[in-house]
């Protein structure tokens, strides 16, 4: 309640009634010269002295117009002057594309549309051209043309952005989740995955998106917890007066569909319509619920959507959008684990069955108190349920060193069943006000809640005694530690309050010669996490082999109440592991925007205080179960952005800033999460934040209204970088460390968005090419700490390496797309897009136990290999109300692979081993969309 009151007081000044504005943009074309762009035409608002001229691409714009009706006068020497009435709507952009010629244009030749500014392709390009910071956006109109289905795919259409087929992460300039910051309507949103900092953008279907913007350099009004960029999703509201739309899509995964018995967890009876619910405790489930997997015979993907909205009277708009999708995935491949160059685990048939059901619901409401005052509220609910089964060793070739170091007589088999339910609820209320002619005030308040639960995870590890001439195959329960046959639960509850306020004060504006604006504001964020996990294991009493399951598909038949009562089995109830996290972040910012002639300067700074507290009660934690960690970061983060507009077609930009990379709760809390492959990731209480210094320089060329060519050079200096690292010693754990004093990144980014073929004929067609390329050079030194006598106390160097690349960063990223569209009465669109991201470090290696570099008992870094992803989408209008779409993703079905160099203890030579490999299959779907 205290945090709520703080945020409420913080926003009190935001509720002042004010006035809002709209814009007019458009393009002029020359009827006498095959509709080429018409430059240097005059456009005047009738009855005023306000006017402008079209640029080299025929583009023009009037900003900050009062709502109402205007008459624009278009004139050009030797051509017919035209007067066209246009209506400006609050918060929207009216786009008027006019054909000029010796005679006045026919009404059919003048195209006038009114959309949100962030929907309009022309308006977004003008916004990018005029912006001082390095920012790129893509709107819903362009996304519809490309056939893009979700925000994650949409983001990859922006230069320097890629996504990983292996992890699902979005990478900006080769840097991943740790270095990004994601907002919805400018306000923080929690991640749907506690292992990640940012929310999965794939949860946002493009029908909910108005635009996606990526700022690649720091602006003081955004959180300083970023270094590669910030992603802002602007959610859509009602278009027009009424809206009713229904869509359905069905498809398949080429690998999943081939499984006649697609495995499902034993939790199926507790899942209804994509939601999990059960009153049975995990302890009771030991004997009262099955341990064995179930199956389905027809793993077909589907999705359906419903969008409906209306305008009530002249002031109130409401929009509802709901959807549900179900996706199946199957992969099989290799899994190996080496610990200090010794083989620990080897499976050649590591198999994963996964079904994800996502349910979303959005309600968006806006109210216009009158033509000048608007308040907007939205509520977004997401329920993501993933049912996954992992198994390995069915082929009787599985090897686990700690179980039986005798592969001739035994093999190992593991099956891990997990149902993961994540519920995300985002609530926001926002206002946007123009106070008089000088002040533009925006504000927002949000409350978010995220529950990420694993209500009943089931794991069995068994040893398979191979048959001999005299004995049949037998199954023995693995018994190293007493919890290899177990059921467990994990509950995570995050709550978050956030608030923002910003005022832009226009000090003066002297036509196009000079202007001065001051921006001042602040942000507040308070986030808490409650975490609990508990394991209930089953241990066999006495020597192995007393309780014998009949087969690996009927392991659960031995876990009966009778076997517990007669002393054959015992229940091992571990103490619960818990931690509570708290993030308290308060900030204020100030910036000055001064433009004179062709120069525009923004100089600003952000003061931000971040306090992170983690209280834990965790087994195997350093120093005992109970502990507490408090970290406080109190800094000023300056930023400078400069734009020089050489002419209408060329921009030069420069940016410099300081930012921070904060550790996450799960990176600090010393809880060890066990993956299905039995790899453990544990937090590090000694982890600290990284300070990042950024520098960018960019050149932009706008050949035409829809074309862009640019080149960017960037440099980052990371102080105290955070890396995922293999732990030193015999544990084989992954953890997080500040492995270096410094890291440096130098990058080059090239982009081209070109219209190869353009036609204005009714039966014509258009062909557009998008291409961007990023090259990065990155390195970090590896730390060594010394005792007072000069001996090594601790080191992150290994195998003679004291320098290495940055974890998660690719050297090369290439994105390309080719889009074909027609001007037919029933439009047809086709898009082919590809992405390549080169090798990246998945985890750094570790030093030998002895703290010296001479020993062979070290771990080399793990590399995630690069691969190419190819997607294709096609859409066809069947009528005014019906569209048909066909989508094919991951067409090349590349191998996802991780490798590690391993030294033979016997020979001393190194070889590259594949430690994880699989293919995800291609996904093909057919959909129909109906607008009523």
């Amino acid at each position: 309640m205290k945090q709520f009151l703080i945020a409420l007081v913080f926003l009190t000044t935001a509720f002042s009634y004010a006035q809002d504005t709209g814009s007019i943009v458009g393009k002029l074309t020359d009827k006498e010269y095959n509709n080429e762009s018409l430059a240097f035409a005059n456009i005047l608002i009738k009855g005023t002295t306000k006017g402008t001229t079209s640029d080299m691409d025929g583009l023009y714009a009037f900003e900050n117009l009062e709502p109402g009706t205007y008459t624009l006068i278009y004139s050009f020497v030797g051509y017919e002057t035209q007067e066209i009435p246009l209506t400006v709507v609050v918060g929207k952009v009216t786009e008027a594309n006019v054909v000029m010629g010796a005679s006045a244009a026919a009404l059919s030749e003048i195209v006038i549309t009114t959309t949100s500014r962030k929907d309009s392709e022309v308006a977004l390009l003008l916004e990018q051209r005029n912006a001082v910071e390095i920012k790129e956006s893509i709107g819903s109109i362009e996304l519809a043309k490309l056939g893009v289905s979700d925000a994650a795919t949409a983001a990859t259409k922006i230069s320097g952005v890629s996504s990983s087929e292996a992890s699902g992460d979005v990478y900006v300039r080769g840097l991943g989740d740790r270095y990004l910051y994601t907002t919805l309507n400018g306000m923080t949103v929690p991640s749907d995955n506690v292992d990640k900092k940012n929310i999965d953008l794939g949860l946002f279907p493009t029908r909910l998106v108005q635009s996606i913007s990526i700022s690649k350099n720091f602006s003081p009004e955004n959180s300083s917890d970023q270094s590669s960029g910030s992603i802002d999703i602007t959610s859509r509201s009602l278009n027009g007066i009424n809206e009713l739309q229904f869509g359905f899509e069905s498809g398949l995964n080429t690998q999943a569909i081939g499984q006649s018995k697609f495995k499902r967890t034993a939790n199926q009876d507790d899942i209804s319509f994509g939601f999990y619910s059960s009153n049975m405790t995990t302890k009771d489930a030991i004997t009262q619920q099955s341990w064995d997997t179930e199956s389905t015979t027809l793993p077909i993907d589907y999705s359906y959507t419903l969008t409906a909205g209306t305008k009530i009277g002249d002031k109130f708009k409401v929009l509802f959008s709901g959807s549900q999708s179900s996706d199946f995935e199957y992969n099989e491949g290799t899994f190996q684990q080496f610990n200090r160059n010794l083989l620990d685990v080897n499976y050649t048939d590591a198999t994963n069955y996964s079904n994800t059901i996502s349910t979303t619901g959005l309600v968006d409401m806006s109210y216009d108190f009158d033509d000048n005052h608007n308040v907007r509220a939205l509520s977004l609910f997401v329920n993501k349920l993933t049912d996954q089964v992992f198994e390995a060793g069915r082929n009787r070739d599985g090897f686990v060193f700690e179980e039986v170091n005798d592969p001739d007589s035994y093999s190992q088999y593991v099956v891990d069943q997990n149902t993961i339910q994540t519920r995300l609820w985002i609530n926001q209320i926002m206002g946007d006000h123009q106070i008089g002619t000088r002040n533009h005030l925006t504000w927002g308040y949000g409350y978010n809640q995220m529950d990420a639960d694993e209500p009943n995870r089931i794991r069995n590890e068994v040893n398979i005694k191979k048959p001999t001439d005299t004995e049949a195959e037998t199954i023995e329960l693995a018994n190293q530690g007493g919890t290899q046959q177990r059921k467990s639960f994990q509950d995570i509850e995050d709550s978050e309050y956030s608030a923002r306020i910003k005022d832009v004060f226009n000090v003066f504006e002297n036509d196009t010669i000079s202007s001065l604006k001051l921006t001042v504001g602040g942000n507040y964020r308070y986030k808490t996490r409650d975490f609990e996990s508990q394991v209930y294991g089953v241990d066999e009493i006495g020597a192995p082999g007393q309780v014998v399951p009949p087969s690996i598909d009927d392991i659960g038949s031995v876990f009966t109440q009778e076997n517990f009562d007669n002393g054959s089995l015992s229940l091992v109830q571990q103490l619960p592991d818990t931690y509570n996290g708290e993030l308290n972040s308060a900030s204020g910012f100030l910036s000055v925007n001064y433009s004179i002639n062709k120069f525009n300067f923004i100089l600003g700074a952000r003061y931000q205080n971040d306090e992170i507290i983690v209280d834990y009660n965790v087994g195997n934690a350093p120093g005992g179960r109970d502990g507490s960690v408090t970290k406080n970061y109190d800094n000023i983060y300056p930023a400078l952005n400069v734009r020089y507009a050489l002419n209408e077609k060329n921009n030069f930009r420069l940016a410099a800033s300081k930012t921070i990379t904060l550790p996450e709760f799960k990176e600090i809390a010393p809880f060890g999460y066990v993956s299905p492959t039995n790899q453990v990731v544990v937090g590090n209480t000694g982890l600290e934040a990284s300070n990042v210094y950024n520098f960018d320089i960019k050149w932009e060329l706008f050949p035409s209204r829809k074309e862009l060519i640019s080149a960017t050079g960037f440099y980052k200096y990371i102080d105290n970088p955070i890396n995922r690292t293999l732990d030193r010693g015999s544990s084989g754990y992954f953890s997080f460390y500040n492995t270096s004093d410094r890291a440096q990144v130098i990058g080059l980014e090239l982009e081209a968005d070109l219209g190869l073929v353009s036609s204005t004929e009714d039966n014509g067609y258009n062909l557009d090419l998008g291409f961007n390329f990023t090259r990065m050079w990155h390195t970090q030194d590896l730390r060594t700490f010394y005792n007072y006598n000069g001996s090594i106390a601790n080191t992150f160097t290994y195998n003679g390496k004291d320098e290495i690349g940055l974890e998660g960063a690719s050297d090369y990223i290439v994105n390309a797309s080719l889009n074909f569209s027609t001007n037919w009465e029933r439009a047809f669109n086709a898009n082919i897009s590809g992405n390549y991201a080169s090798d990246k470090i998945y985890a750094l290696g570790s030093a030998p136990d002895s703290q010296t570099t001479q020993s062979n008992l070290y771990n080399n870094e793990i590399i995630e290999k690069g691969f190419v992803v190819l997607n294709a989408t096609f859409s066809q209008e069947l009528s005014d109300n019906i569209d048909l779409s066909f989508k094919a993703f991951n067409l090349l079905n590349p191998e996802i692979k991780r490798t590690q160099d391993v030294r033979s203890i016997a020979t001393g030579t190194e070889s590259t081993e594949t430690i994880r490999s699989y293919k995800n299959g291609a996904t093909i779907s057919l959909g129909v969309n109906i607008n009523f």
Side-chain angles (χ1 to χ4, degrees):
M1 186 64 184
K2 175 184 176 182
Q3 307 304 329
F4 175 81
L5 291 174
I6 292 174
L8 191 61
V9 171
F10 181 84
L11 289 173
T12 301
T13 59
F15 290 88
S16 54
Y17 290 163
Q19 174 182 3
D20 217 341
T21 61
S23 304
I24 297 175
V25 302
K27 181 181 181 180
L28 304 186
T29 53
D30 194 334
K31 184 178 181 181
E32 309 302 326
Y33 287 89
N34 298 317
N35 289 319
E36 292 183 1
S37 300
L38 181 62
F40 308 116
N42 296 311
I43 308 101
L44 178 70
I45 298 179
K46 190 174 182 178
T48 73
T49 59
K50 182 173 286 190
T52 187
T53 58
S54 57
D55 65 15
M56 294 298 295
D57 303 316
L59 298 177
Y60 71 93
F62 291 98
E63 305 284 353
N64 300 319
L65 296 175
E66 303 290 333
T69 301
Y70 297 83
T71 298
L72 266 61
I73 303 173
Y74 300 84
S75 62
F76 188 73
V77 177
Y79 284 6
E80 184 79 16
T81 298
Q82 300 187 56
E83 295 190 10
I84 299 174
L86 299 170
T87 300
V88 173
V89 181
V90 172
K92 296 189 179 296
V93 56
T94 299
E95 185 173 333
N97 299 323
V98 180
V99 179
M100 300 289 288
S103 59
L107 183 61
S108 60
E109 294 179 290
I110 302 172
V111 180
I112 301 173
T113 57
T114 299
T115 65
S116 164
R117 162 163 292 280
K118 295 194 175 184
D119 283 327
S120 169
E121 190 176 348
V122 174
L124 284 172
L125 192 60
L126 283 170
E127 181 182 19
Q128 179 178 338
R129 180 185 299 187
N130 295 326
V132 182
E133 68 272 15
I134 299 174
K135 177 181 179 181
E136 297 169 51
S137 303
I138 186 167
S140 60
I141 294 175
E142 182 68 9
L143 294 177
K145 291 180 181 179
L146 297 176
V148 173
S149 59
D150 60 70
T153 308
T156 63
K157 305 304 177 184
I158 295 174
S159 68
V161 182
S162 64
S163 62
S164 170
E165 186 73 18
S167 64
D169 289 352
V170 170
Y171 290 80
V172 175
R173 292 177 168 173
L175 299 176
D177 182 69
R178 181 189 313 285
Y179 301 97
L180 290 173
Y181 195 80
T182 303
T183 56
L184 176 67
N185 301 314
M187 302 182 68
T188 58
V189 287
S191 172
D192 62 302
N193 186 336
V194 294
D195 289 331
K196 299 182 186 299
K197 173 182 173 183
N198 295 278
I199 192 170
D200 177 10
L201 297 182
L203 292 175
F204 294 91
T206 48
R207 60 184 171 74
L208 301 182
V209 174
Q210 189 176 79
S211 69
I212 297 174
S213 299
I214 296 183
S215 297
K216 296 178 183 176
N217 63 311
F218 171 61
S219 173
E221 66 187 67
N222 297 326
S223 172
S224 55
D225 184 16
Q226 56 167 294
S227 57
S228 65
S230 59
I231 300 176
D232 183 52
I233 302 170
T234 301
S235 62
R236 58 162 297 200
S237 52
L238 177 67
N239 288 326
I241 298 176
N242 293 295
E243 188 173 345
L244 181 59
Q245 183 183 106
F246 175 76
F248 178 78
E249 188 174 290
S250 184
L252 56 87
N253 178 281
T254 55
Q255 292 181 176
I257 197 66
Q259 303 303 308
S260 58
K261 291 186 177 180
F262 191 94
K263 291 187 183 295
R264 310 294 295 272
T265 69
N267 297 321
Q268 289 308 296
D269 291 343
D270 299 319
I271 298 175
S272 299
F273 304 106
F275 292 81
Y276 176 92
S277 179
S278 175
N279 294 321
M280 185 181 296
T281 66
T282 304
K283 184 176 180 179
D284 290 340
I286 295 290
T287 57
Q288 298 179 29
Q289 183 210 37
S290 171
W291 289 67
D292 300 320
T293 62
E294 300 181 16
S295 64
T296 186
T297 57
L298 199 61
I300 295 293
D301 297 346
Y302 71 83
S303 70
Y304 56 85
T305 64
L306 175 65
T307 302
T310 187
K311 184 175 183 180
I312 302 173
D314 294 328
K315 297 184 177 183
F316 184 67
K317 288 183 178 181
V318 61
L319 175 75
F320 167 80
S321 186
S323 70
Q324 187 175 79
S325 64
S326 176
D327 300 295
F328 289 88
E329 189 175 284
Y330 168 87
N331 59 59
E332 180 179 351
T334 298
F335 172 74
Q336 293 191 96
Q337 180 171 298
F338 291 86
N339 186 10
R340 301 177 297 172
N341 287 313
L342 300 172
L343 181 64
D344 259 4
V345 181
N346 181 22
Y347 289 111
T348 58
D349 65 341
T351 305
N352 188 67
Y353 302 82
S354 178
N355 174 222
T356 299
I357 302 175
S358 297
T359 307
T360 64
L362 170 74
V363 176
D364 183 282
M365 298 176 290
S366 63
Y367 185 79
D368 297 325
F369 292 96
D370 51 36
D371 289 342
N372 301 320
H373 312 296
N374 173 271
V375 173
R376 181 185 175 199
L378 69 86
S379 182
L380 172 66
F381 174 79
V382 177
N383 187 89
K384 181 180 178 181
L385 183 106
T386 300
D387 188 79
Q388 61 184 28
V389 175
F390 172 84
E391 69 167 8
R394 180 173 288 274
N395 62 3
R396 273 60 176 178
D397 288 334
F399 169 77
V400 179
F401 176 78
E402 69 174 9
E403 277 301 320
V404 181
N405 192 14
D406 183 9
D408 293 330
S409 301
Y410 285 87
S411 68
Q412 281 72 50
Y413 170 80
V414 59
V415 57
D416 189 291
Q417 308 173 59
N418 201 4
T419 300
I420 306 169
Q421 179 164 264
T422 302
R423 292 183 178 179
L424 180 64
W425 189 29
I426 300 172
N427 301 276
Q428 298 179 344
I429 181 169
M430 297 160 286
D432 191 332
H433 307 289
Q434 184 76 32
I435 303 174
T437 59
R438 291 178 177 267
N439 288 76
H440 183 200
L441 179 71
T442 59
W443 56 268
Y445 175 76
Y447 170 74
N448 307 319
Q449 183 173 326
M450 191 275 294
D451 300 320
D453 301 331
E454 298 179 11
N456 187 28
R457 183 175 178 181
I458 307 168
R459 187 176 179 90
N460 297 106
E461 300 175 17
V462 300
N463 299 317
I464 304 175
K465 188 175 183 180
K466 297 179 180 180
T468 65
D469 293 338
T470 58
E471 294 182 357
E473 177 182 276
T474 56
I475 309 299
E476 298 179 2
L477 301 179
N479 61 357
Q480 298 291 324
T483 58
Q484 288 171 282
Q485 324 305 321
R486 63 177 179 264
K487 295 192 176 184
S488 61
F489 73 86
Q490 177 177 292
D491 295 334
I492 300 174
E493 181 178 328
D494 284 6
S495 295
E496 181 175 339
Y497 299 90
S498 62
R500 63 173 173 85
I501 187 168
K502 182 178 77 169
D503 182 64
V504 180
F505 179 68
N506 190 357
V507 180
F508 67 82
E509 184 171 359
N510 186 11
D511 294 330
T512 59
I513 299 175
S514 63
S515 65
L516 178 64
K517 294 180 181 179
L518 299 178
T519 301
V520 62
N523 300 83
Y524 180 74
R525 182 186 184 196
Y526 179 74
K527 176 181 178 179
T528 61
R529 170 172 296 172
D530 295 324
F531 172 94
E532 182 179 9
S533 176
Q534 189 167 16
V535 173
Y536 296 86
V538 176
D539 195 19
E540 184 178 8
I541 304 299
Q546 305 302 306
V547 178
V548 180
S551 75
I552 59 175
D553 292 314
D554 193 16
I555 299 174
S557 62
V558 302
F559 301 120
T560 62
Q561 190 62 50
E562 180 182 358
N563 279 336
F564 284 95
D565 292 341
N566 64 26
S568 299
L569 299 174
S570 66
L571 179 66
V572 180
Q573 181 175 337
Q574 293 188 342
L575 291 173
D577 289 326
T578 64
Y579 74 81
N580 299 308
E582 181 177 324
L583 169 65
N584 203 324
S585 179
S587 58
F589 56 87
L590 172 68
S591 64
V592 179
N593 184 336
Y594 177 67
S595 65
I596 181 167
N597 296 322
K598 295 182 177 182
F599 281 96
N600 198 316
F601 303 88
I602 297 181
L603 177 63
R606 179 184 185 90
Y607 166 77
Q608 183 167 317
N609 176 267
D610 298 294
E611 183 183 52
I612 304 171
I613 301 173
V614 177
D615 299 321
Y616 58 87
N617 187 318
V618 174
N620 299 320
R625 288 192 63 95
D626 289 307
S628 181
V629 180
T630 299
K631 300 180 183 296
N632 192 284
Y633 304 100
D634 193 75
N635 289 295
I636 294 176
Y637 303 94
L640 170 68
N641 290 275
V642 180
R643 177 175 66 94
Y644 174 69
L646 178 64
N647 51 43
E648 290 287 343
K649 287 184 174 292
N650 288 272
N651 277 336
F652 292 94
R653 304 178 188 274
L654 182 145
S657 63
K658 175 188 176 182
T659 56
I660 193 171
T661 299
L662 295 173
E664 296 293 303
F665 289 146
K666 59 100 177 179
E667 295 177 332
I668 297 173
F671 171 76
Y673 182 80
V674 183
S675 73
T677 58
N678 212 34
Q679 290 184 317
V680 180
V681 180
V682 62
N684 171 20
T685 57
L687 193 66
E688 295 293 344
S690 305
N691 286 312
V692 186
Y693 301 87
N694 312 281
F695 181 80
D696 298 74
I697 186 168
K698 182 175 185 178
W699 164 74
E700 293 174 327
L701 170 66
F702 297 87
S704 71
R705 75 184 185 103
K706 290 186 179 181
E707 293 183 312
L708 170 66
I709 298 173
S710 69
T712 306
F714 57 92
Y715 171 78
K716 298 181 183 298
Y717 181 95
I718 306 175
D719 183 34
N720 219 24
I722 300 172
N723 291 273
R724 181 196 291 114
T725 306
L726 279 161
D727 249 348
R728 183 174 53 82
S730 61
S731 68
Y733 289 1
F734 293 88
S735 192
F736 306 92
Y737 290 96
N738 303 107
T739 57
S740 309
D741 291 321
R742 67 192 65 84
Q744 298 185 74
V745 180
I746 301 174
L748 174 66
E749 187 177 276
L750 304 175
E751 178 186 10
D753 292 315
L754 301 173
L756 303 181
V757 178
S758 181
S759 173
T760 58
E761 302 295 329
D762 289 344
N763 60 349
Y765 62 89
N766 310 284
L767 188 64
D768 301 313
L769 172 67
F771 174 83
N772 57 74
F773 167 83
T774 302
R775 172 68 167 105
M776 284 177 37
W777 296 265
H778 49 97
T779 184
Q780 60 179 318
D781 64 306
L782 296 176
R783 279 176 168 159
T784 297
F785 300 94
Y786 295 91
N787 294 316
Y788 69 93
N789 60 3
S791 62
I792 296 176
N794 190 15
T795 184
F796 292 103
T797 65
Y798 56 92
N799 194 19
K801 300 175 183 178
D802 58 10
E803 189 176 274
I804 199 169
L806 201 61
E807 178 244 315
S810 294
D811 293 349
Y812 297 93
I813 297 176
V814 181
N815 289 302
S817 65
L818 191 64
N819 191 70
F820 174 84
S821 62
T822 71
N823 300 332
W824 306 339
E825 182 181 359
R826 303 298 179 207
F828 172 77
N829 282 279
N831 177 265
I832 298 176
S833 61
N835 161 257
Y836 170 74
S838 64
D839 298 357
K840 61 175 69 75
I841 297 175
Y842 174 77
L844 269 62
S846 58
D849 293 350
S850 63
Q851 298 289 322
T852 68
T853 56
Q854 286 75 34
S855 171
N856 287 336
L857 298 178
Y858 60 84
N859 293 298
N860 271 316
E861 66 274 8
I862 297 174
I863 303 296
E864 183 177 304
K865 304 298 289 184
F867 52 89
V868 176
V869 175
L870 183 66
N871 301 325
T873 62
F874 305 88
S875 64
Q876 174 68 63
E877 288 185 3
L878 300 181
S879 70
D880 290 340
N881 300 319
I882 302 176
D883 298 329
L884 192 67
S885 64
F886 174 80
K887 301 174 184 176
F889 295 138
N890 199 33
L891 284 168
L892 300 180
N893 193 20
E895 183 179 33
I896 313 300
K897 185 175 4 180
R898 293 177 189 157
T899 63
Q900 186 177 24
D901 289 342
V902 177
R903 182 185 295 271
S904 169
I905 301 299
T907 66
T909 60
E910 281 194 353
S911 61
T912 300
E913 295 283 345
T914 297
I915 62 171
R916 190 74 174 102
S917 69
Y918 57 91
K919 293 184 176 182
N920 279 328
T923 301
I924 301 170
S925 63
L926 184 67
V928 62
N929 193 68
I930 304 173
N931 291 287
F932 296 94

